[in-house]
């Protein structure tokens, strides 16, 4: 494994069917040639990701749309003009060249053009679209730096280091219906942003699948230590909070407040700034997970507006498995 800013070495690895972790504006991705099923299989193995959870295909040019999708929908170009390159993934009917392993057997494929020069150069120079989930082990904290990737995926062939991701939270995933868009996963681009170019749909996503987006599980993004959302009052959180002599808590502050009962305080923001909180979210969770002085984490909730909706989605999923 090597870390590099040398794109040509990474290109060679992609072309030979290997894995490259690369920076995007949202989180780091774990990439392989999207048209090579054996290469894509390595992503699932390395991440220990269940095969029912489909991958996003990353492109660097709109010319890939008609190759990868069927019945090209003109609205894709409207969305692309406004939001690409950027943190928006559009789920579209897939063409035959997209291997079933990429889409977990679904007839649709999620496509996005990332807003990061290293990612775009990697895709262009490799000459293939790149399938990439976030570069973390399944269920764990997403990476926003090359160091985060190395911590969880030490065996990846190559990690391209592009510095910290400047958005910090995953792309918004949408599907299109006859009358507009449906959000499948909350992300940096909000429903209000999308409504500036398309109406939101009145219908649920048409899908033979039970889950409209199979990767949307209740538990995800979890640190290896218990995390609670302040005020959730679950029996387990009460037990941790009552036993200060046994368990050392860390407080993850959003507003800047620093309750005295916590030995460690980390910040999403010191001023209640939602964009700053998104950028800091996964980095703060990694720091607290790594801090030997911390046994559990209590996160201050953020307001459910703008990107706060996506931040709360991530925090709730991180806390889910520790609730019971
Ligand atoms: O910002 C991001 O989206 C990052 C960077 C690396 O691009 N990628 C990312 O990938 O977050 P991942 O695999 O961690 O999450 C992608 C999610 C899947 O779990 C699934 O819910 C949804 O996108 N998805 C992908 N393809 C889909 C499809 N065909 N239909 C419905 N949902 C899909
Ligand atoms: Mg992920």
């Amino acid at each position: 494994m090597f870390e590099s800013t040398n794109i040509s070495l990474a290109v060679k690895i992609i072309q030979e069917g290997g894995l490259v972790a690369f920076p995007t504006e949202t989180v780091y991705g774990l990439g392989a040639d999207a048209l090579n099923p054996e290469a894509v299989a390595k992503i699932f193995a390395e991440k220990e990701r269940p095969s029912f959870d489909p991958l996003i295909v990353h492109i660097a040019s709109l010319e890939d749309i008609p190759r990868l999708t069927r019945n090209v929908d003109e609205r894709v170009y409207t969305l692309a003009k406004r939001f690409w390159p950027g943190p928006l993934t559009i789920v579209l009917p897939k063409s035959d060249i997209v291997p079933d392993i990429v889409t977990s057997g679904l007839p649709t494929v999620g496509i996005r053009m990332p807003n990061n020069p290293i990612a775009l150069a990697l895709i262009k120079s490799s000459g293939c679209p790149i399938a990439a989930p976030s570069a973390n082990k399944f269920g764990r904290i997403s990476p926003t730096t090359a160091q985060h990737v190395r911590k969880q995926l030490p065996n990846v062939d190559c990690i391209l280091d592009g510095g910290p991701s400047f958005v910090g939270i995953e792309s918004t995933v949408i599907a299109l219906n006859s009358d507009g868009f449906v959000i499948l996963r909350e992300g940096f681009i909000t429903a209000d942003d999308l409504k500036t170019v398309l109406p939101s749909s009145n219908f649920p996503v048409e899908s033979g699948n039970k889950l409209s987006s199979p990767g949307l599980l209740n538990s995800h993004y979890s640190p290896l230590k218990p995390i609670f959302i302040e005020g959730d009052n679950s029996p387990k959180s009460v037990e941790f909070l009552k036993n200060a002599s046994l368990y050392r808590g860390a407080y993850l502050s959003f507003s800047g407040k620093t309750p005295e009962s916590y030995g460690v305080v980390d910040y999403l923001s010191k001023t209640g700034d939602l964009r700053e909180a998104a950028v800091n979210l996964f980095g703060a969770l990694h720091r607290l997970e790594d801090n030997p002085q911390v046994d559990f984490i209590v996160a201050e909730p953020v307001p459910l507006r703008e990107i706060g909706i996506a931040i709360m989605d991530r925090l709730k999923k991180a806390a889910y498995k520790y609730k019971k």
Side-chain angles (χ1 to χ4, degrees):
M1 196 257 291
F2 64 92
E3 279 163 44
S4 173
T5 46
N6 184 339
I7 292 176
S8 56
L9 286 169
V11 166
K12 195 157 172 279
I13 291 173
I14 292 283
Q15 289 173 338
E16 288 171 354
L19 301 184
V20 171
F22 62 96
T24 84
E25 79 281 29
T26 57
V27 299
Y28 275 64
L30 180 61
D33 177 351
L35 305 182
N36 176 342
E38 284 84 32
V40 173
K42 292 180 192 165
I43 296 179
F44 284 89
E46 183 62 31
K47 264 192 75 114
E48 296 163 23
R49 178 176 174 114
S51 57
F52 62 75
D53 193 353
L55 305 180
I56 293 170
V57 173
H58 297 73
I59 61 172
S61 157
L62 292 181
E63 282 166 23
D64 275 336
I65 298 282
R67 282 177 72 215
L68 300 172
T69 70
R70 273 185 301 114
N71 313 332
V72 175
D73 187 323
E74 284 306 314
R75 294 174 298 176
V76 173
Y77 296 103
T78 310
L79 288 163
K81 202 167 159 204
R82 172 75 179 73
F83 298 109
W84 279 356
L88 179 69
T89 297
I90 312 174
V91 172
L92 297 165
K94 82 170 192 72
S95 73
D96 290 341
I97 68 162
V98 180
D100 287 334
I101 187 171
V102 172
T103 65
S104 302
L106 291 176
T108 55
V109 59
I111 308 235
R112 129 169 159 87
M113 190 187 289
N115 185 13
N116 178 289
I118 297 175
L120 292 171
L122 178 69
I123 301 164
K124 266 193 200 127
S125 307
S126 298
C128 59
I130 293 190
S134 50
N136 51 283
K137 289 277 190 206
F138 180 68
R140 291 189 47 200
I141 310 170
S142 303
T144 52
T145 65
Q147 292 72 26
H148 296 159
V149 178
R150 192 186 331 116
K151 185 174 124 184
Q152 290 187 22
L153 304 175
N155 302 321
V156 170
D157 300 328
C158 164
I159 302 175
L160 283 174
D161 191 346
S165 298
F166 70 82
V167 166
I169 210 159
E170 290 88 346
S171 64
T172 307
V173 180
I174 65 167
L176 299 175
N177 264 343
S178 50
D179 62 339
F181 71 87
V182 180
I183 291 186
L184 302 180
R185 178 179 70 182
E186 300 289 348
F188 184 77
I189 291 177
T190 63
D192 286 341
D193 295 332
L194 291 161
K195 279 189 228 162
T196 61
V197 296
L198 277 188
S200 66
S201 173
N202 294 310
F203 307 115
V205 181
E206 304 101 6
S207 165
N209 222 292
K210 208 172 103 216
L211 294 165
S212 55
S213 188
L216 292 184
L217 306 174
N218 288 329
S219 180
H220 206 150
Y221 315 106
S222 290
L224 296 172
K225 295 170 180 171
I227 175 166
F228 309 104
I229 295 174
E230 187 177 31
D232 88 344
N233 296 327
S234 63
K236 201 160 174 186
S237 69
V238 172
E239 181 194 326
F240 273 87
L241 287 163
K242 265 200 333 223
N243 288 301
S245 54
L246 268 180
Y247 305 116
R248 295 157 305 169
Y251 189 73
L252 186 53
S253 180
F254 167 69
S255 63
K257 87 175 175 188
T258 56
E260 271 172 15
S261 44
Y262 296 89
V264 173
V265 177
D266 207 320
Y267 294 91
L268 292 180
S269 168
K270 290 190 177 175
T271 57
D273 180 322
L274 286 168
R275 282 184 178 233
E276 188 187 12
V279 173
N280 290 332
L281 175 66
F282 291 128
L285 291 177
H286 276 285
R287 274 195 299 277
L288 295 174
E289 177 179 81
D290 295 344
N291 186 337
Q293 309 298 324
V294 172
D295 298 316
F296 73 101
I297 303 159
V298 172
E300 182 179 1
V302 312
L304 284 172
R305 62 176 156 78
E306 300 153 26
I307 195 178
I309 298 168
I311 297 172
M312 278 311 281
D313 167 74
R314 307 306 190 265
L315 283 174
K316 280 190 181 149
K317 287 181 174 166
Y320 184 81
K321 71 175 186 185
Y322 298 112
K323 261 190 123 159
K324 284 165 236 119

